[in-house]
Amino acid sequence: MKRTKVVDALKALPQRGSGEGADICVKGWVRSKRGSKGIFFIALNDGSTIKNIQIVGDDAKFPEETVKRITTGACLCVEGKLVESPAAGQASEIQATAIEILGDCDNTYPLQKKGASWEYLRTVAHLRPRTNTFGAILRIRHNMAMAIHTYFHEHGYFYFHTPLITASDCEGAGNMFQVTTKNLYDLKKDEQGKILYNDDFFGEQTSLTVSGQLEGELGATALGAIYTFGPTFRAENSNTPRHLAEFWMIEPEVAFLDQEELMDLEEDFIKYCVRWALDNCKDDLEFLNKMIDKSLIERLEGVLKETFVRLPYTEGINILQEAVRNGKKFEFPCNWGDDLASEHERYLVEEHFKKPVIMTDYPRSFKSFYMKQNQETPDGGSVGYKGAVAPGPTMQGTDVLFPSIGEIIGGSVREESYDKLLAEVERREMDMTHLWWYLDTRKYGSCPHAGFGLGFERLILFVTGMQNIRDVIPFPRTPGNAQF
Ligand code: 4AD
Ligand code: MG
């Protein structure tokens, strides 16, 4: 008999009044089994939905040996009749006529007990997708990927594939994983002791990309609007609940987009994704809302209603310093020119404005070389968004800060002037040998353009209400951990 997925079986009620239900075959894993008065009840799940289907069987009709082998975690093929269920909370159940054990599962199964800690589940990441919570998270993760592709496709963006192996460092932060085929114990060096890469696979030093942006800009300045969606790699030794060494990033890049339009895009895009989750992941969100975070759905709906605050960095610093004067304690300083720590971002979003904030016009000192420079004033300051004045040089970076997450998007308008970009590169003493092609875009028909990067896992954190980024990707990569 052809297999029916549980999600479909639960929708397909047998014909009422006929007394006999339709014949059906389901396959899946046993979540639980209990028995009473010669009848056994199995909760079977096949991953197609958070919901289990109930299998009811008569002990007397099955070999004792078979019934014994129906243990938590075992994989079954069940044939039977789909009937209306007398039990509360489920429309239908299956009265089993035949049960085949496809895979036994003994009592060493690591997911035996309910309520295992997140830390423990990470040690059994090969099996945790079979739990209710991880099933829900992974189905939502899939749905968010569909939302992202649909959004960009519907808005006329082209999916542009940027390389994962690269000879350049987009963010200039130097936290890249090297790619080599050389014997690391026998590297050739020049007289100064510098490693020679000329006989390495690519003939030069290469790494895994930290961002597809620079190549994305090449796409945008040809196709008009592109987006990337792929893995990125960062060797930052950040053991936090918000950082992974391998994470997925979505990077749209658009020609002729200015600062205001960039912020419109960031806001519209995130809201679209959140709405998609509410519309398409109802069962999983209701489960997470009940089990993980009682205010999850309310928070998701709340974001849709809010207009995001658009806040120049300088004003943000003023608000933080005012808070400090009023007794608020932060671990890190927040003077003009300091990079904001997540405690600062969260104060602005969660306590001060109580809604998402798009922060703009960051100091040049801690932002990347490619960002559009704001007009400087004779006294060394600058003029930015809506004429806001800053005491030092600023750039048109536009990051989105979210409740309970902090930075979810990092974006900017890009500097399109060849002279200004070159001056900035020289000011930073950057080696541009590997970025000559990037400068070319400013030489040949340069155009205003802008884009951003959304950390996919940070979006999933927000949408699921989970607390640790290691628990929203199937197999997390973090310092000291590359298992599975
Ligand atoms: O702010 P970032 O570093 O920006 C860029 O890489 C730009 N080149 C993007 C662009 O403009 N096209 O990273 C973008 C986003 C962050 O806002 C954050 O959501 C996520 O990527 N992110 C991380 N997520 C998980 N683990 C990490 N280690 C992350 N680092 C950044
Ligand atoms: Mg950033």
Side-chain angles (χ1 to χ4, degrees):
M1 204 190 300
K2 202 166 161 274
R3 171 197 168 214
T4 302
K5 286 192 181 178
V6 169
V7 67
D8 298 323
L10 289 172
K11 280 183 215 148
L13 263 178
Q15 285 197 326
R16 280 171 187 275
S18 70
E20 287 268 293
D23 289 322
I24 192 165
C25 167
V26 292
K27 299 180 186 183
W29 294 269
V30 176
R31 282 294 161 78
S32 63
K33 185 183 120 199
R34 63 189 169 82
S36 129
K37 295 178 197 146
I39 307 283
F40 60 83
F41 301 88
I42 305 165
L44 197 75
N45 188 284
D46 69 355
S48 60
T49 162
I50 185 86
K51 292 181 178 152
N52 305 323
I53 193 153
Q54 175 156 287
I55 314 289
V56 186
D58 194 337
D59 279 339
K61 289 191 186 148
F62 295 90
E64 204 184 325
E65 183 55 24
T66 304
V67 177
K68 247 200 230 152
R69 286 167 64 200
I70 304 172
T71 52
T72 299
C75 185
L76 309 185
C77 170
V78 178
E79 289 184 3
K81 305 243 176 252
L82 189 66
V83 297
E84 273 183 69
S85 176
Q90 60 193 22
S92 48
E93 62 183 28
I94 295 173
Q95 281 172 358
T97 50
I99 296 178
E100 185 190 345
I101 315 280
L102 299 177
D104 285 290
C105 188
D106 69 18
N107 61 11
T108 61
Y109 183 52
L111 301 177
Q112 222 62 269
K113 288 193 206 85
K114 287 201 168 132
S117 72
W118 303 121
E119 288 79 7
Y120 171 72
L121 289 171
R122 277 172 224 144
T123 68
V124 289
H126 58 313
L127 295 169
R128 70 178 183 172
R130 291 198 209 166
T131 62
N132 284 330
T133 305
F134 282 92
I137 292 166
L138 294 175
R139 279 184 297 272
I140 291 173
R141 194 179 155 102
H142 159 79
N143 272 282
M144 287 295 92
M146 297 310 291
I148 288 158
H149 285 299
T150 308
Y151 179 89
F152 288 122
H153 181 68
E154 283 179 351
H155 288 77
Y157 289 63
F158 301 105
Y159 185 20
F160 189 69
H161 297 102
T162 52
L164 298 188
I165 299 175
T166 173
S168 53
D169 180 357
C170 171
E171 291 304 304
N175 46 20
M176 303 180 82
F177 290 102
Q178 281 199 50
V179 175
T180 179
T181 52
K182 298 301 295 175
N183 174 354
L184 296 177
Y185 298 99
D186 184 23
L187 292 170
K188 275 198 223 139
K189 298 185 180 163
D190 68 9
E191 276 133 36
Q192 282 85 45
K194 261 185 88 180
I195 298 166
L196 292 169
Y197 290 95
N198 54 355
D199 64 343
D200 200 351
F201 189 91
F202 296 105
E204 58 183 330
Q205 187 179 8
T206 50
S207 308
L208 294 176
T209 191
V210 296
S211 159
Q213 178 198 323
L214 302 187
E215 291 91 350
E217 287 185 49
L218 309 181
T221 54
L223 301 172
I226 62 93
Y227 71 103
T228 72
F229 186 174
T232 48
F233 309 86
R234 297 196 184 180
E236 37 192 0
N237 205 353
S238 315
N239 253 312
T240 81
R242 310 265 170 273
H243 289 87
L244 289 166
E246 178 181 294
F247 64 98
W248 288 66
M249 183 145 62
I250 295 95
E251 298 185 272
E253 194 69 34
V254 194
F256 317 116
L257 204 71
D258 67 17
Q259 190 178 18
E260 190 81 62
E261 292 166 326
L262 173 62
M263 291 192 266
D264 291 343
L265 173 65
E266 293 176 341
E267 182 167 346
D268 189 53
F269 171 64
I270 295 199
K271 285 181 173 171
Y272 182 93
C273 293
V274 171
R275 196 174 302 116
W276 184 289
L278 287 166
D279 290 347
N280 295 280
C281 309
K282 200 167 164 285
D283 291 346
D284 289 321
L285 284 178
E286 278 171 2
F287 173 82
L288 294 173
N289 196 78
K290 196 165 121 202
M291 306 302 290
I292 305 289
D293 178 349
K294 300 267 184 293
S295 56
L296 174 64
I297 292 178
E298 192 188 319
R299 197 165 57 245
L300 297 181
E301 284 168 347
V303 159
L304 295 183
K305 289 187 210 123
E306 300 293 2
T307 302
F308 297 5
V309 177
R310 299 184 180 190
L311 180 77
Y313 165 91
T314 304
E315 279 179 39
I317 288 291
N318 291 341
I319 293 169
L320 292 170
Q321 291 182 343
E322 177 71 26
V324 170
R325 279 193 294 277
N326 291 332
K328 175 82 194 168
K329 296 250 180 302
F330 291 117
E331 190 184 340
F332 296 100
C334 50
N335 299 310
W336 199 93
D338 292 334
D339 196 355
L340 295 187
S342 111
E343 55 174 350
H344 302 131
E345 295 172 343
R346 294 184 63 169
Y347 173 82
L348 291 170
V349 172
E350 290 164 21
E351 294 181 47
H352 187 81
F353 290 108
K354 299 192 167 64
K355 53 174 135 170
V357 170
I358 309 184
M359 185 167 271
T360 69
D361 296 337
Y362 285 88
R364 192 171 65 184
S365 53
F366 61 85
K367 283 292 182 187
S368 300
F369 76 98
Y370 51 70
M371 293 189 183
K372 187 172 174 70
Q373 300 159 27
N374 276 322
Q375 183 70 46
E376 293 194 19
T377 53
D379 60 354
S382 59
V383 184
Y385 183 62
K386 291 195 170 160
V389 177
T394 52
M395 303 175 113
Q396 290 185 14
T398 54
D399 289 0
V400 181
L401 314 179
F402 247 50
S404 77
I405 306 293
E407 181 190 325
I408 192 164
I409 277 183
S412 80
V413 182
R414 321 303 188 190
E415 182 55 69
E416 86 250 27
S417 151
Y418 182 83
D419 293 339
K420 283 191 187 167
L421 188 61
L422 195 66
E424 185 61 19
V425 160
E426 283 169 359
R427 208 182 58 77
R428 293 176 187 232
E429 297 176 359
M430 287 171 63
D431 174 10
M432 291 301 274
T433 18
H434 296 290
L435 282 176
W436 60 271
W437 46 268
Y438 185 72
L439 291 171
D440 263 9
T441 53
R442 276 57 173 180
K443 243 183 353 200
Y444 305 122
S446 188
C447 72
H449 61 288
F452 67 76
L454 168 85
F456 189 49
E457 286 73 21
R458 296 204 184 164
L459 174 70
I460 307 299
L461 274 180
F462 180 72
V463 170
T464 58
M466 294 294 290
Q467 294 295 317
N468 195 311
I469 200 160
R470 292 167 178 79
D471 301 328
V472 295
I473 187 168
F475 308 106
R477 296 288 175 258
T478 49
N481 175 39
Q483 227 190 136
F484 307 107

